[in-house]
Amino acid sequence: AQSVTQLDSQVPVFEEAPVELRCNYSSSVSVYLFWYVQYPNQGLQLLLKYLSGSTLVESINGFEAEFNKSQTSFHLRKPSVHISDTAEYFCAVKGGGADGLTFGKGTHLIIQP
Amino acid sequence: GAGVSQSPSNKVTEKGKDVELRCDPISGHTALYWYRQSLGQGLEFLIYFQGNSAPDKSGLPSDRFSAERTGGSVSTLTIQRTQQEDSAVYLCASAWDRATDTQYFGPGTRLTVL
């Protein structure tokens, strides 16, 4: 079985400042890792994913995440946030033959002007 | 093309009634998933279909929950004798197949049990 821990339920940050949303996972087998974003009153959208290969993955809107196997982490970063990045961010893991995704509790990113 | 659609978008029901929630996956997607999102439990995986079959139903919260998929397309999640703790947003997702692992989510059905 897998589990995902998102250490911060809320992260307030000023516009144009950098941000890091933390995600740690637990699994006894190799996993695939995902970040999903849920904008206000919208459905879940895939932001980025790690399946294999380069441990640094990027999204089209400037976010990046790095898979660190030794620390079992997949933290999400952006060097400069915008008001439009205000949303709930979910880290998820899948592996070991599991059918569905195991999600963390989510982190609410609040951008302050 | 069209994304995953779900109906109804909102459902209010009385305790003890049965409800049916519908999911239309992206055309051609063979894998279909149901999740539940609630304040207390976060996002929970319920069940997965590959084609019309669900290999593992152990994620369903109780025997009041059932799901089926017909024609490798539309799926319905049925909750019998609804309870207040069933109140949540029920999300459906689909993927080309289980191996690709990129799941595309629908907007969800918000279920409120009075």
Side-chain angles (χ1 to χ4, degrees), chain A residues 12-29:
Chain A
V13 62
F14 288 106
E15 194 172 15
E16 298 183 5
V19 70
E20 178 180 83
L21 306 183
R22 295 178 291 171
C23 172
N24 287 87
Y25 69 92
S26 173
S27 177
S28 57
V29 297

Side-chain angles (χ1 to χ4, degrees), chain B residues 11-73:
Chain B
K11 176 71 176 179
V12 180
T13 190
E14 294 179 347
K15 178 181 172 182
K17 300 283 189 184
D18 298 350
V19 295
E20 267 193 8
L21 312 179
R22 177 188 168 106
C23 171
D24 277 276
I26 293 171
S27 178
H29 281 191
T30 62
L32 186 147
Y33 306 79
W34 283 98
Y35 294 84
R36 179 168 71 172
Q37 186 176 23
S38 59
L39 281 175
Q41 300 298 320
L43 275 156
E44 305 170 84
F45 166 68
L46 299 180
I47 192 169
Y48 152 77
F49 287 90
Q50 181 61 47
N52 292 333
S53 64
D56 182 3
K57 301 181 180 179
S58 61
L60 294 174
S62 76
D63 57 9
R64 296 184 294 103
F65 286 71
S66 63
E68 66 173 14
R69 188 180 186 195
T70 55
S73 181

Side-chain angles (χ1 to χ4, degrees), chain A residues 32 34 36 38 43-44 46 49 51 90 94 97-101 103 105, chain B residues 33 35 37 40-43 45 48 56 91 98 100-103 105-106:
Chain A
Y32 300 148
F34 306 81
Y36 278 84
Q38 190 170 32
L44 280 166
L46 179 67
K49 64 183 178 182
L51 302 182
F90 294 92
K94 184 174 184 297
D99 295 322
L101 295 168
F103 284 89
K105 295 289 189 186
Chain B
Y33 306 79
Y35 294 84
Q37 186 176 23
Q41 300 298 320
L43 275 156
F45 166 68
Y48 152 77
D56 182 3
L91 297 170
R98 180 170 173 268
T100 63
D101 297 304
T102 297
Q103 297 179 25
F105 282 80

Side-chain angles (χ1 to χ4, degrees), chain A residues 17 50 72-73 76 99:
Chain A
Y50 170 78
T72 60
S73 68
L76 181 69
D99 295 322

Side-chain angles (χ1 to χ4, degrees), chain A residues 6 8-10 21 35-40 44 85-90 105-109, chain B residues 37:
Chain A
Q6 291 183 248
D8 305 300
S9 59
Q10 281 193 112
L21 306 183
W35 276 98
Y36 278 84
V37 59
Q38 190 170 32
Y39 297 105
L44 280 166
D85 293 324
T86 297
E88 190 86 17
Y89 291 79
F90 294 92
K105 295 289 189 186
T107 297
H108 188 195
L109 180 59
Chain B
Q37 186 176 23

